[in-house]
Amino acid sequence: MDARCVAHLDMDAFYVSVELRRRPELRGRPVIVAGTGPRAVVTTASYEARRFGVGSAMPAVRARRLCPDGVFLVPDFAYYREASREVMAVVRSHVESIEVVGLDEVYLELSGLAVPDATMRAVREAIEERTGLTCSVGIGPSKLVAKVASDAEKPRGFVVLTRAQACTRFAGAPCGLVPGIGPKTAERLRAAGIDTLGKLASADPAELAARFGRRFAAELQRRARFEDDAPVSEQRKVISESRELTFDHDIVELTTLERILGDLVNRLCVALTDQRRAGRTIGIKIRLDDFSTHTRARTLAEPVSTADRVGPVALDLLRRFGTPRPVRLLGVRVAGLEPARAGAEGQLILAL
């Protein structure tokens, strides 16, 4: 194993697994966590449901066609957040330096530990014992290797790889396997005849640079070679907070959109107040029925976090944009977040 050692711990089908804790009678059945509206998407699916082709981010309507006998559950994010806190408390009790990157995954800095593999096995066992949930673990010399390794043998996987071993094991895998190479980039690579990580790693740098630009081409090849020195950061810097809603049916009336925007602003500002954060930039997001997405933003002189300050700005942005076509999605965000100054704003959350 290389001198540096990082682990990535990823919970197995987290939302479904948490649901099964309180609904054990559903174990072994195809369970799908998804919204109920006609435009709802799948949040996650049990491994039994995945055998029918159901996957995350799939439209729930399609999931019902693929798996008509599936058990569909409405997401309960408050319950999932509480379960996540249980898991992360176990992780913190074993390893000091961690980076939480979602409700269900975390990086752990293991460098300097005498037996990192044993530490991670102990973490995994403790999580299952204390929470009843299972996870998969990847260990490597970097966050990149650890991340891909944790996905390799789910569920209950435990994969340890050096960088060289990762290069060999995943040489024939599609480029999109590696974080940072999205679907559009992977498609452009395929169009250039580069459909595996091995081909990308050995591609001619000059030819790659001609298609993607020198800096991006170099980054793509670094990822294909699993070269990564990103640190495990104990605190992620969250620079914005947002709330958005996709409608079951397109909305034309501005007054209806204004009311919905007010609800979104209130939800967002409650979260900002709880987090004691404020931001100077207020923005809205509008997706029309033709799937075009539009954003509008305004930066204020002082950071704000309450609905009586955020709401009027967001409302003015919406009114200025108007409704040229029926609206499919509406969102609001506050960016440039920083710790709120005590007494800078009242704590009252006002409706628009």
Side-chain angles (χ1 to χ4, degrees):
M1 180 63 66
D2 302 66
R4 190 180 180 214
C5 188
V6 176
H8 180 258
L9 185 151
D10 194 11
M11 303 304 295
D12 297 325
F14 181 60
Y15 297 158
V16 165
S17 298
V18 175
E19 290 288 357
L20 292 179
R21 289 200 310 185
R22 59 182 174 183
R23 295 179 171 90
E25 71 277 7
L26 297 180
R27 292 190 184 278
R29 297 183 62 183
V31 178
I32 301 160
V33 176
T36 57
R39 291 174 175 170
V41 297
V42 173
T43 302
T44 193
S46 68
Y47 292 98
E48 292 82 2
R50 294 180 193 188
R51 298 191 188 107
F52 290 87
V54 178
S56 299
M58 173 185 293
V61 172
R62 184 182 175 205
R64 291 179 187 277
R65 288 199 301 266
L66 291 172
C67 190
D69 295 327
V71 179
F72 284 77
L73 303 176
V74 177
D76 183 350
F77 290 106
Y79 184 49
Y80 306 152
R81 284 191 291 271
E82 180 56 37
S84 176
R85 283 191 284 269
E86 294 176 34
V87 170
M88 298 310 166
V90 174
V91 173
R92 289 188 174 92
S93 71
H94 286 75
V95 177
E96 181 178 350
S97 181
I98 70 171
E99 178 181 344
V100 179
V101 292
L103 292 181
D104 60 346
E105 60 178 313
V106 57
Y107 289 100
L108 304 90
E109 182 63 64
L110 305 179
S111 302
L113 295 183
V115 192
D117 297 18
T119 297
M120 290 311 302
R121 291 191 187 278
V123 171
R124 187 171 68 163
E125 290 171 8
I127 288 173
E128 187 162 1
E129 178 183 338
R130 298 183 199 177
T131 72
L133 303 171
T134 68
C135 64
S136 294
V137 172
I139 301 177
S142 67
K143 292 168 70 173
L144 183 57
V145 172
K147 168 68 174 174
V148 176
S150 72
D151 289 335
E153 297 181 9
K154 277 184 158 289
R156 284 189 167 96
F158 196 99
V159 178
V160 183
L161 296 173
T162 64
R163 188 185 71 83
Q165 288 170 339
C167 289
T168 300
R169 177 165 180 167
F170 302 111
C175 298
L177 176 76
V178 171
I181 301 181
K184 291 183 179 179
T185 300
E187 181 57 40
R188 290 178 62 194
L189 288 166
R190 282 193 294 272
I194 302 172
D195 57 358
T196 67
L197 288 171
K199 290 181 182 178
L200 177 56
S202 60
D204 180 84
E207 292 182 7
L208 206 61
R211 287 179 175 268
F212 294 93
R214 182 177 58 82
R215 292 181 62 182
F216 189 39
E219 178 61 23
L220 289 174
Q221 290 200 300
R222 279 193 294 271
R223 291 191 171 274
R225 295 167 182 161
F226 290 91
E227 297 171 354
D228 172 39
D229 59 1
V232 173
S233 174
E234 297 185 39
Q235 290 188 341
R236 289 190 302 153
K237 186 176 182 181
V238 180
I239 61 172
S240 69
E241 185 86 17
S242 65
R243 295 294 183 274
E244 62 182 42
L245 179 65
T246 299
F247 309 133
D248 291 343
H249 304 285
D250 297 335
I251 295 176
V252 178
E253 299 82 7
L254 181 60
T255 54
T256 302
L257 292 170
E258 290 177 355
R259 176 182 56 78
I260 294 170
L261 181 63
D263 292 339
L264 293 170
V265 166
N266 278 328
R267 287 169 47 198
L268 171 59
C269 290
V270 166
L272 291 176
T273 302
D274 288 345
Q275 299 163 13
R276 302 181 185 277
R277 296 190 300 168
R280 288 181 169 82
T281 300
I282 299 168
I284 62 169
K285 175 181 175 182
I286 302 169
R287 181 166 296 144
L288 303 178
D289 64 337
D290 61 359
F291 287 89
S292 62
T293 301
H294 307 265
T295 59
R296 298 291 186 272
R298 184 177 302 161
T299 299
L300 308 179
E302 296 291 332
V304 296
S305 64
T306 55
D308 60 321
R309 302 290 301 279
V310 174
V313 178
L315 188 61
D316 185 57
L317 292 172
L318 176 63
R319 288 171 175 167
R320 287 176 181 271
F321 179 80
T323 52
R325 298 179 62 94
V327 177
R328 178 183 178 90
L329 173 150
L330 181 63
V332 62
R333 69 192 288 263
V334 175
L337 293 179
E338 58 188 70
R341 296 194 302 273
E345 295 188 46
Q347 296 299 304
L348 183 63
I349 304 301
L350 302 176
L352 290 178

